[in-house]
Amino acid sequence: MATVQFGKETSARGEFVRQKNRFTDRITADGSSGWKAEPGRYRLVVCLACPWAHRALIVRGLLGLDDAISLAVVDPVRDERGWRFTLDEGDRDPVLGIEYLSEAYHRADPEFDGRFTVPAIVEVESGRVVTNDYPRITLDLSTQWREFHAPGAPDLYPEHLRAEIDEVIEPIFRNVNNGVYRCGFAGSQEAYEEAYDALFAELDRLSARLEHQRYLVGDQLTEADIRLFTTLVRFDAVYHGHFKCNRNKLTEMPVLWAYARDLFQTPGFGETVDFDHIKRHYYYTHDAINPTRIVPKGPVTDWTEPHGRG
């Protein structure tokens, strides 16, 4: 039997249970899914604090899809109605004309009563959410939107490496991407310690893997690196303290710290990172974990120092 802890669902053992993605339609090159990849038809909604949305933001930029898929950025602090467009004039998204992302969810499903999550891709004309399936969104941007990629755009999900990429990203999701949340929202000591041990065991494995190669799969940047980066870049700022992932800071893990700086300094990565949004979202929104809502000033970290991985 599941219960609600910190506003999140947990299992009977106190394990954090991530909400399933409600909207899983795919946008495809040929439109056979019912949704055809067409420039100007869709709008990507992200929060700069959210690691899942951050993936989509990075991939969209690396592939040169900025003109094909417009971008909306929500306020990092949600209220009881969810993600807000308070960063825009008049507190409304200028393209969709809505104040809350929840409006696009309810246009797709008036009965939807789950959490309104980012990233979400919204069809501009109908104003309805097409997908909030974050693992699939980035893969489809790489494979279904090829016609609109910029010349020279990287192949982030190359066919000959897909089996290995899939194999690598599964434990990264389970133990790292979702693992930090399993630590932070654990409802029991046992569940927390299991998640903590799995997290750092996986980070140790990844460190060993990256000690003698620049990227996670092959000799090129892939989807796997993007998925790991968005957790690593938040690690010291929020996960280490706020989520009790405190065996080591990222800056105390030499291989992963150099790897993360390498990616941060790669065009398309560092400029998408907003530590103000990241810290305000986590420390202010999770008031059951941080009831004072005090946002820490630190850490002071130099992401531009040489990484030595060229």
mmCIF file of all heavy atoms in Angstrom, residues 266-295:
data_model
loop_
_atom_site.group_PDB
_atom_site.id
_atom_site.type_symbol
_atom_site.label_atom_id
_atom_site.label_comp_id
_atom_site.label_asym_id
_atom_site.label_seq_id
_atom_site.Cartn_x
_atom_site.Cartn_y
_atom_site.Cartn_z
ATOM 1 N N THR A 266 31.402 22.370 -22.621
ATOM 2 C CA THR A 266 31.047 22.067 -24.001
ATOM 3 C C THR A 266 29.898 22.978 -24.433
ATOM 4 O O THR A 266 28.911 23.105 -23.711
ATOM 5 C CB THR A 266 30.608 20.596 -24.131
ATOM 6 O OG1 THR A 266 31.704 19.746 -23.761
ATOM 7 C CG2 THR A 266 30.171 20.278 -25.554
ATOM 8 N N PRO A 267 29.999 23.663 -25.577
ATOM 9 C CA PRO A 267 28.906 24.532 -26.021
ATOM 10 C C PRO A 267 27.572 23.785 -26.018
ATOM 11 O O PRO A 267 27.476 22.656 -26.505
ATOM 12 C CB PRO A 267 29.330 24.922 -27.444
ATOM 13 C CG PRO A 267 30.829 24.865 -27.409
ATOM 14 C CD PRO A 267 31.160 23.699 -26.507
ATOM 15 N N GLY A 268 26.553 24.418 -25.430
ATOM 16 C CA GLY A 268 25.237 23.805 -25.340
ATOM 17 C C GLY A 268 24.911 23.262 -23.970
ATOM 18 O O GLY A 268 23.771 22.869 -23.717
ATOM 19 N N PHE A 269 25.892 23.249 -23.083
ATOM 20 C CA PHE A 269 25.677 22.720 -21.735
ATOM 21 C C PHE A 269 25.666 23.838 -20.687
ATOM 22 O O PHE A 269 24.627 24.127 -20.079
ATOM 23 C CB PHE A 269 26.744 21.676 -21.384
ATOM 24 C CG PHE A 269 26.516 20.330 -21.995
ATOM 25 C CD1 PHE A 269 26.856 20.089 -23.321
ATOM 26 C CD2 PHE A 269 25.967 19.287 -21.262
ATOM 27 C CE1 PHE A 269 26.650 18.844 -23.898
ATOM 28 C CE2 PHE A 269 25.760 18.043 -21.822
ATOM 29 C CZ PHE A 269 26.099 17.823 -23.142
ATOM 30 N N GLY A 270 26.815 24.439 -20.428
ATOM 31 C CA GLY A 270 26.935 25.400 -19.338
ATOM 32 C C GLY A 270 25.955 26.551 -19.410
ATOM 33 O O GLY A 270 25.417 26.991 -18.384
ATOM 34 N N GLU A 271 25.668 27.014 -20.611
ATOM 35 C CA GLU A 271 24.769 28.162 -20.752
ATOM 36 C C GLU A 271 23.326 27.815 -20.444
ATOM 37 O O GLU A 271 22.474 28.704 -20.314
ATOM 38 C CB GLU A 271 24.886 28.771 -22.161
ATOM 39 C CG GLU A 271 24.563 27.846 -23.308
ATOM 40 C CD GLU A 271 25.784 27.156 -23.878
ATOM 41 O OE1 GLU A 271 26.686 26.793 -23.108
ATOM 42 O OE2 GLU A 271 25.821 26.974 -25.123
ATOM 43 N N THR A 272 23.019 26.536 -20.302
ATOM 44 C CA THR A 272 21.659 26.118 -19.955
ATOM 45 C C THR A 272 21.477 25.910 -18.446
ATOM 46 O O THR A 272 20.381 25.594 -17.997
ATOM 47 C CB THR A 272 21.287 24.801 -20.660
ATOM 48 O OG1 THR A 272 22.089 23.736 -20.130
ATOM 49 C CG2 THR A 272 21.485 24.893 -22.163
ATOM 50 N N VAL A 273 22.556 26.060 -17.677
ATOM 51 C CA VAL A 273 22.518 25.814 -16.231
ATOM 52 C C VAL A 273 22.209 27.111 -15.495
ATOM 53 O O VAL A 273 22.892 28.121 -15.697
ATOM 54 C CB VAL A 273 23.852 25.234 -15.729
ATOM 55 C CG1 VAL A 273 23.815 25.032 -14.207
ATOM 56 C CG2 VAL A 273 24.165 23.914 -16.431
ATOM 57 N N ASP A 274 21.205 27.095 -14.628
ATOM 58 C CA ASP A 274 20.834 28.267 -13.832
ATOM 59 C C ASP A 274 20.782 27.839 -12.363
ATOM 60 O O ASP A 274 19.791 27.297 -11.898
ATOM 61 C CB ASP A 274 19.476 28.817 -14.287
ATOM 62 C CG ASP A 274 19.164 30.178 -13.673
ATOM 63 O OD1 ASP A 274 19.382 30.346 -12.461
ATOM 64 O OD2 ASP A 274 18.690 31.066 -14.423
ATOM 65 N N PHE A 275 21.878 28.080 -11.634
ATOM 66 C CA PHE A 275 21.948 27.631 -10.247
ATOM 67 C C PHE A 275 20.975 28.375 -9.347
ATOM 68 O O PHE A 275 20.516 27.815 -8.344
ATOM 69 C CB PHE A 275 23.377 27.755 -9.714
ATOM 70 C CG PHE A 275 24.317 26.716 -10.254
ATOM 71 C CD1 PHE A 275 25.353 27.057 -11.104
ATOM 72 C CD2 PHE A 275 24.151 25.378 -9.918
ATOM 73 C CE1 PHE A 275 26.212 26.092 -11.607
ATOM 74 C CE2 PHE A 275 25.004 24.406 -10.421
ATOM 75 C CZ PHE A 275 26.041 24.761 -11.273
ATOM 76 N N ASP A 276 20.635 29.594 -9.697
ATOM 77 C CA ASP A 276 19.625 30.316 -8.916
ATOM 78 C C ASP A 276 18.286 29.598 -9.001
ATOM 79 O O ASP A 276 17.636 29.345 -7.980
ATOM 80 C CB ASP A 276 19.493 31.756 -9.419
ATOM 81 C CG ASP A 276 18.314 32.469 -8.782
ATOM 82 O OD1 ASP A 276 18.287 32.609 -7.544
ATOM 83 O OD2 ASP A 276 17.385 32.863 -9.523
ATOM 84 N N HIS A 277 17.845 29.273 -10.191
ATOM 85 C CA HIS A 277 16.581 28.544 -10.360
ATOM 86 C C HIS A 277 16.651 27.184 -9.659
ATOM 87 O O HIS A 277 15.684 26.762 -9.006
ATOM 88 C CB HIS A 277 16.277 28.347 -11.849
ATOM 89 C CG HIS A 277 15.646 29.540 -12.491
ATOM 90 N ND1 HIS A 277 14.608 29.444 -13.386
ATOM 91 C CD2 HIS A 277 15.901 30.862 -12.372
ATOM 92 C CE1 HIS A 277 14.252 30.653 -13.803
ATOM 93 N NE2 HIS A 277 15.036 31.524 -13.199
ATOM 94 N N ILE A 278 17.773 26.497 -9.822
ATOM 95 C CA ILE A 278 17.916 25.169 -9.225
ATOM 96 C C ILE A 278 17.754 25.241 -7.712
ATOM 97 O O ILE A 278 16.953 24.508 -7.115
ATOM 98 C CB ILE A 278 19.282 24.557 -9.603
ATOM 99 C CG1 ILE A 278 19.300 24.187 -11.091
ATOM 100 C CG2 ILE A 278 19.593 23.337 -8.737
ATOM 101 C CD1 ILE A 278 20.677 23.845 -11.636
ATOM 102 N N LYS A 279 18.488 26.117 -7.069
ATOM 103 C CA LYS A 279 18.450 26.168 -5.605
ATOM 104 C C LYS A 279 17.113 26.698 -5.098
ATOM 105 O O LYS A 279 16.569 26.185 -4.107
ATOM 106 C CB LYS A 279 19.617 27.004 -5.083
ATOM 107 C CG LYS A 279 20.969 26.329 -5.296
ATOM 108 C CD LYS A 279 22.078 26.950 -4.458
ATOM 109 C CE LYS A 279 22.359 28.378 -4.850
ATOM 110 N NZ LYS A 279 23.498 28.928 -4.075
ATOM 111 N N ARG A 280 16.562 27.697 -5.754
ATOM 112 C CA ARG A 280 15.272 28.235 -5.283
ATOM 113 C C ARG A 280 14.172 27.191 -5.405
ATOM 114 O O ARG A 280 13.310 27.087 -4.536
ATOM 115 C CB ARG A 280 14.904 29.500 -6.068
ATOM 116 C CG ARG A 280 15.605 30.732 -5.542
ATOM 117 C CD ARG A 280 14.913 31.997 -5.995
ATOM 118 N NE ARG A 280 15.075 32.242 -7.407
ATOM 119 C CZ ARG A 280 14.089 32.572 -8.234
ATOM 120 N NH1 ARG A 280 12.843 32.671 -7.782
ATOM 121 N NH2 ARG A 280 14.336 32.786 -9.508
ATOM 122 N N HIS A 281 14.203 26.416 -6.481
ATOM 123 C CA HIS A 281 13.160 25.399 -6.622
ATOM 124 C C HIS A 281 13.243 24.354 -5.514
ATOM 125 O O HIS A 281 12.265 24.101 -4.815
ATOM 126 C CB HIS A 281 13.255 24.701 -7.972
ATOM 127 C CG HIS A 281 12.424 23.459 -8.048
ATOM 128 N ND1 HIS A 281 11.047 23.503 -8.037
ATOM 129 C CD2 HIS A 281 12.761 22.136 -8.068
ATOM 130 C CE1 HIS A 281 10.565 22.271 -8.067
ATOM 131 N NE2 HIS A 281 11.590 21.428 -8.080
ATOM 132 N N TYR A 282 14.393 23.745 -5.361
ATOM 133 C CA TYR A 282 14.502 22.641 -4.407
ATOM 134 C C TYR A 282 14.313 23.110 -2.966
ATOM 135 O O TYR A 282 13.529 22.513 -2.208
ATOM 136 C CB TYR A 282 15.850 21.942 -4.558
ATOM 137 C CG TYR A 282 15.931 21.000 -5.737
ATOM 138 C CD1 TYR A 282 16.392 21.431 -6.978
ATOM 139 C CD2 TYR A 282 15.552 19.674 -5.612
ATOM 140 C CE1 TYR A 282 16.480 20.568 -8.057
ATOM 141 C CE2 TYR A 282 15.625 18.794 -6.688
ATOM 142 C CZ TYR A 282 16.091 19.250 -7.905
ATOM 143 O OH TYR A 282 16.160 18.380 -8.970
ATOM 144 N N TYR A 283 15.014 24.147 -2.583
ATOM 145 C CA TYR A 283 14.984 24.540 -1.176
ATOM 146 C C TYR A 283 13.692 25.252 -0.795
ATOM 147 O O TYR A 283 13.281 25.220 0.364
ATOM 148 C CB TYR A 283 16.193 25.425 -0.847
ATOM 149 C CG TYR A 283 17.480 24.644 -0.767
ATOM 150 C CD1 TYR A 283 18.367 24.622 -1.839
ATOM 151 C CD2 TYR A 283 17.805 23.911 0.371
ATOM 152 C CE1 TYR A 283 19.555 23.899 -1.765
ATOM 153 C CE2 TYR A 283 18.986 23.187 0.447
ATOM 154 C CZ TYR A 283 19.855 23.184 -0.629
ATOM 155 O OH TYR A 283 21.019 22.461 -0.561
ATOM 156 N N TYR A 284 13.047 25.885 -1.750
ATOM 157 C CA TYR A 284 11.810 26.611 -1.437
ATOM 158 C C TYR A 284 10.567 25.738 -1.623
ATOM 159 O O TYR A 284 9.610 25.827 -0.855
ATOM 160 C CB TYR A 284 11.690 27.866 -2.303
ATOM 161 C CG TYR A 284 10.690 28.872 -1.775
ATOM 162 C CD1 TYR A 284 11.063 29.833 -0.852
ATOM 163 C CD2 TYR A 284 9.371 28.837 -2.203
ATOM 164 C CE1 TYR A 284 10.146 30.755 -0.356
ATOM 165 C CE2 TYR A 284 8.440 29.749 -1.711
ATOM 166 C CZ TYR A 284 8.837 30.708 -0.790
ATOM 167 O OH TYR A 284 7.917 31.605 -0.298
ATOM 168 N N THR A 285 10.582 24.888 -2.641
ATOM 169 C CA THR A 285 9.393 24.099 -2.968
ATOM 170 C C THR A 285 9.212 22.913 -2.028
ATOM 171 O O THR A 285 8.082 22.559 -1.686
ATOM 172 C CB THR A 285 9.466 23.607 -4.427
ATOM 173 O OG1 THR A 285 9.587 24.737 -5.296
ATOM 174 C CG2 THR A 285 8.225 22.825 -4.801
ATOM 175 N N HIS A 286 10.304 22.290 -1.622
ATOM 176 C CA HIS A 286 10.215 21.104 -0.761
ATOM 177 C C HIS A 286 10.176 21.539 0.701
ATOM 178 O O HIS A 286 11.095 21.274 1.473
ATOM 179 C CB HIS A 286 11.399 20.173 -1.014
ATOM 180 C CG HIS A 286 11.531 19.720 -2.428
ATOM 181 N ND1 HIS A 286 12.730 19.360 -2.998
ATOM 182 C CD2 HIS A 286 10.595 19.564 -3.403
ATOM 183 C CE1 HIS A 286 12.536 18.998 -4.256
ATOM 184 N NE2 HIS A 286 11.246 19.118 -4.522
ATOM 185 N N ASP A 287 9.103 22.186 1.089
ATOM 186 C CA ASP A 287 9.057 22.781 2.429
ATOM 187 C C ASP A 287 8.945 21.740 3.536
ATOM 188 O O ASP A 287 9.218 22.040 4.694
ATOM 189 C CB ASP A 287 7.934 23.817 2.529
ATOM 190 C CG ASP A 287 6.571 23.251 2.162
ATOM 191 O OD1 ASP A 287 6.518 22.246 1.443
ATOM 192 O OD2 ASP A 287 5.559 23.825 2.596
ATOM 193 N N ALA A 288 8.555 20.495 3.219
ATOM 194 C CA ALA A 288 8.538 19.457 4.246
ATOM 195 C C ALA A 288 9.961 19.043 4.616
ATOM 196 O O ALA A 288 10.220 18.645 5.746
ATOM 197 C CB ALA A 288 7.752 18.249 3.765
ATOM 198 N N ILE A 289 10.879 19.146 3.654
ATOM 199 C CA ILE A 289 12.280 18.851 3.920
ATOM 200 C C ILE A 289 12.989 20.090 4.470
ATOM 201 O O ILE A 289 13.831 19.987 5.361
ATOM 202 C CB ILE A 289 12.990 18.368 2.636
ATOM 203 C CG1 ILE A 289 12.347 17.076 2.127
ATOM 204 C CG2 ILE A 289 14.480 18.146 2.885
ATOM 205 C CD1 ILE A 289 12.943 16.585 0.819
ATOM 206 N N ASN A 290 12.655 21.248 3.948
ATOM 207 C CA ASN A 290 13.291 22.506 4.350
ATOM 208 C C ASN A 290 12.210 23.499 4.762
ATOM 209 O O ASN A 290 11.872 24.418 4.021
ATOM 210 C CB ASN A 290 14.116 23.062 3.170
ATOM 211 C CG ASN A 290 14.888 24.316 3.539
ATOM 212 O OD1 ASN A 290 15.398 24.444 4.646
ATOM 213 N ND2 ASN A 290 14.980 25.255 2.598
ATOM 214 N N PRO A 291 11.622 23.328 5.956
ATOM 215 C CA PRO A 291 10.464 24.146 6.342
ATOM 216 C C PRO A 291 10.754 25.633 6.467
ATOM 217 O O PRO A 291 9.843 26.443 6.340
ATOM 218 C CB PRO A 291 10.048 23.548 7.696
ATOM 219 C CG PRO A 291 11.248 22.823 8.185
ATOM 220 C CD PRO A 291 11.961 22.324 6.976
ATOM 221 N N THR A 292 11.997 26.019 6.688
ATOM 222 C CA THR A 292 12.320 27.447 6.785
ATOM 223 C C THR A 292 12.369 28.110 5.418
ATOM 224 O O THR A 292 12.351 29.334 5.321
ATOM 225 C CB THR A 292 13.679 27.656 7.462
ATOM 226 O OG1 THR A 292 14.710 27.067 6.646
ATOM 227 C CG2 THR A 292 13.692 27.049 8.859
ATOM 228 N N ARG A 293 12.481 27.296 4.369
ATOM 229 C CA ARG A 293 12.599 27.792 2.992
ATOM 230 C C ARG A 293 13.795 28.733 2.807
ATOM 231 O O ARG A 293 13.806 29.576 1.911
ATOM 232 C CB ARG A 293 11.304 28.484 2.543
ATOM 233 C CG ARG A 293 10.151 27.497 2.342
ATOM 234 C CD ARG A 293 8.906 28.185 1.832
ATOM 235 N NE ARG A 293 7.923 27.219 1.350
ATOM 236 C CZ ARG A 293 6.708 27.550 0.932
ATOM 237 N NH1 ARG A 293 6.319 28.811 0.946
ATOM 238 N NH2 ARG A 293 5.880 26.622 0.493
ATOM 239 N N ILE A 294 14.798 28.594 3.626
ATOM 240 C CA ILE A 294 16.032 29.360 3.456
ATOM 241 C C ILE A 294 16.841 28.715 2.336
ATOM 242 O O ILE A 294 17.080 27.508 2.343
ATOM 243 C CB ILE A 294 16.847 29.398 4.763
ATOM 244 C CG1 ILE A 294 16.090 30.211 5.818
ATOM 245 C CG2 ILE A 294 18.237 29.988 4.521
ATOM 246 C CD1 ILE A 294 16.709 30.148 7.192
ATOM 247 N N VAL A 295 17.241 29.528 1.368
ATOM 248 C CA VAL A 295 18.018 29.045 0.229
ATOM 249 C C VAL A 295 19.495 29.325 0.497
ATOM 250 O O VAL A 295 19.869 30.470 0.737
ATOM 251 C CB VAL A 295 17.575 29.745 -1.070
ATOM 252 C CG1 VAL A 295 18.393 29.251 -2.263
ATOM 253 C CG2 VAL A 295 16.086 29.507 -1.321
#
